[in-house]
Structures are given as C-alpha cells and as structure tokens.
Amino acid sequence: MKKILLAALVSAALPALADAPAGDVVRGKAAFMKHMCYTCHGTAGQGGDRGSGPRIAYDVWPWEGFEQQVRHPREQMPRYSEKFVSDRDLADIHAYLSSQPAPAKDLPALLR
C-alpha cells in the first residue's frame, strides 16, 4: 500500500516539475538582448568569447534548474531577481534558448 501511495504522489508531482511556463521565442530573443545575457553567453546562447560565459543554448536545463540558476546563481553569474527579469521574460528567454539548433559538429553522424 505504501508503494502505491508513493507512486501516486510522485506521478502527481512530475507534471508540475517537468513543464516550463509557456514562452515566446521572439520575445525571448528580445529579452535575452535587453537584459544583456548575450554579453556572457553569446547572441544565441552558444557561449561567450574567451570563456566569459558557458553555452546555454539547445540543450537548455529543465525549467526548474534554469530558473534556479538565474534567480540564485552559482559561481560568478550575477543574480537576476524578479525585479530585474520578470517571470514572463525568463520563460521567454528559456523558450528562445530551447529553440536554438545544435551546431552541426554536435549532431550525431547519420552515415558512417
């Protein structure tokens, strides 16, 4: 009985954890530029020149990790509270970064 209850609780919580808020790619690109994310992460999230910021595009963290890193960052990234980057802008930025295609060098070879 305990296992069934635990499974029910976990399965009920997973959708809430897995879903990122709906974001708009076009607004996300504008917000990414407005909030100057590109200065460290490159204009498409590909990573900054001279190692200034890591690549954050096309294999974007799940929403919870992404939000946590922006709101309460580790290491040298500045903190962006809701006062500076709204939840809507953050969701849009997440959508923009998620929409970026992987560079050809990172795609698996189709034929060998």
Side-chain angles (χ1 to χ4, degrees), residues 60-79:
V60 179
W61 290 2
W63 170 252
E64 292 79 18
F66 181 79
E67 179 184 34
Q68 177 68 25
Q69 177 62 20
V70 172
R71 301 289 189 221
H72 307 282
R74 298 175 298 168
E75 300 181 13
Q76 297 179 7
M77 182 173 159
R79 181 178 180 268

Side-chain angles (χ1 to χ4, degrees), residues 10-69:
V10 169
S11 64
L14 285 178
L17 293 175
D19 294 336
D24 181 88
V25 173
V26 174
R27 284 194 320 254
K29 181 177 182 180
F32 192 79
M33 299 304 166
K34 172 185 166 190
H35 297 295
M36 300 182 66
C37 306
Y38 70 90
T39 60
C40 293
H41 299 290
T43 57
Q46 76 276 13
D49 294 336
R50 298 176 303 280
S52 60
R55 175 179 48 86
I56 57 173
Y58 68 83
D59 58 351
V60 179
W61 290 2
W63 170 252
E64 292 79 18
F66 181 79
E67 179 184 34
Q68 177 68 25
Q69 177 62 20

Side-chain angles (χ1 to χ4, degrees), residues 2-4 16 21-22 30 32 34-35 50 55 70 73-74 81 83-84 86 89 100 105-108:
K2 288 181 182 180
K3 289 181 181 181
I4 294 172
F32 192 79
K34 172 185 166 190
H35 297 295
R50 298 176 303 280
R55 175 179 48 86
V70 172
R74 298 175 298 168
S81 69
K83 178 179 176 182
F84 299 105
S86 70
D89 279 355
Q100 298 304 304
K105 68 179 185 59
D106 292 342
L107 295 174

Side-chain angles (χ1 to χ4, degrees), residues 20-21 28 60-63 66 89-99:
V60 179
W61 290 2
W63 170 252
F66 181 79
D89 279 355
L90 194 58
D92 292 341
I93 291 169
H94 189 265
Y96 169 64
L97 294 172
S98 297
S99 75

